[in-house]
Amino acid sequence: MSTTTQAPCAEPVTTVFTWQVRPGREADFEEWTRGVADCVSRFPGSQGISWLRPEPGHRFHAVLRFADPQRLAAWLTSPERARWHARIEGIATEVRDERQSTTGMESWFRLPGTTVQAPPRWKMVLTTFVGAYPLTFLLQWLAAPGTASWPLPLRAAVFPVVLLPLLTYVIMPGLSRLLRLWLYGTPDR
């Protein structure tokens, strides 16, 4: 009798880690980043790690992507990660209160200055439809006739180029504020 384990059915997750590096230890830290990046790249579910160069104050940021939250959690609690953390002792420390994770759309629904959980996915989908449908309709009505003679790849590019910035910077932040009580519930819930 054989048993198979199914992979979790979840969205990819991205986590940002911030590291405070001791002055003068940047070269040691950069050497450590290469080793830990190699290790994490071989870990199940890893989709890559990117390191951002320091800003004032000797802070480095790691953007870590995993196939799902369960595999990220497995990495975070793994003996391999613990060994790599032991190697960095005295060189850098993680700034844990700055760790951030996201699985995708919830960044459109984040409330500034809070740690409120993202709303249920069905509410995010419905809210996104309410924001995207009128804009898509308007673009089809106004832009489609004028771009009918354009090559298909160019016509297809018009909509995301207009739609995505408007959704990200204008429509979805406004909708998430307007529908705040429905999306997140009352504070005492």
Side-chain angles (χ1 to χ4, degrees):
M1 179 173 149
S2 70
T3 59
T4 59
T5 305
Q6 262 188 321
C9 184
E11 289 184 17
V13 61
T14 301
T15 301
V16 178
F17 297 89
T18 301
W19 292 88
Q20 181 71 39
V21 180
R22 293 182 98 153
R25 302 299 302 265
E26 294 85 2
D28 296 329
F29 183 76
E30 288 185 19
E31 183 179 328
W32 177 83
T33 65
R34 287 187 290 276
V36 75
D38 183 54
C39 180
V40 77
S41 71
R42 290 182 269 118
F43 204 82
S46 174
Q47 294 182 340
I49 184 170
S50 301
W51 287 93
L52 306 177
R53 289 293 190 207
E55 57 189 40
H58 304 281
R59 286 186 183 221
F60 284 70
H61 305 283
V63 181
L64 184 64
R65 292 171 303 284
F66 266 84
D68 54 64
Q70 294 82 4
R71 291 182 184 165
L72 171 64
W75 164 253
L76 293 175
T77 58
S78 71
E80 294 95 331
R81 182 175 185 266
R83 284 192 293 275
W84 279 100
H85 268 249
R87 291 182 188 181
I88 200 71
E89 194 77 31
I91 296 172
T93 54
E94 182 187 348
V95 184
R96 291 187 187 272
D97 62 343
E98 291 186 17
R99 188 184 294 180
Q100 302 172 20
S101 294
T102 180
T103 57
M105 279 181 46
E106 69 270 3
S107 61
W108 276 350
F109 297 91
R110 189 173 341 155
L111 296 174
T114 68
T115 57
V116 173
Q117 289 285 348
R121 287 184 184 182
W122 70 269
K123 287 186 177 185
M124 289 192 286
V125 168
L126 189 57
T127 303
T128 304
F129 177 81
V130 167
Y133 179 77
L135 185 58
T136 304
F137 183 85
L138 189 63
L139 286 172
Q140 289 285 337
W141 180 50
L142 295 174
T147 62
S149 64
W150 295 7
L152 180 59
L154 191 55
R155 278 195 327 253
V158 168
F159 294 97
V161 165
V162 173
L163 186 72
L164 295 176
L166 283 172
L167 280 173
T168 301
Y169 294 107
V170 179
I171 294 169
M172 295 311 294
L175 274 176
S176 66
R177 280 191 300 277
L178 180 68
L179 302 174
R180 178 183 220 147
L181 286 177
W182 178 71
L183 286 166
Y184 303 101
T186 56
D188 57 349
R189 265 199 237 168

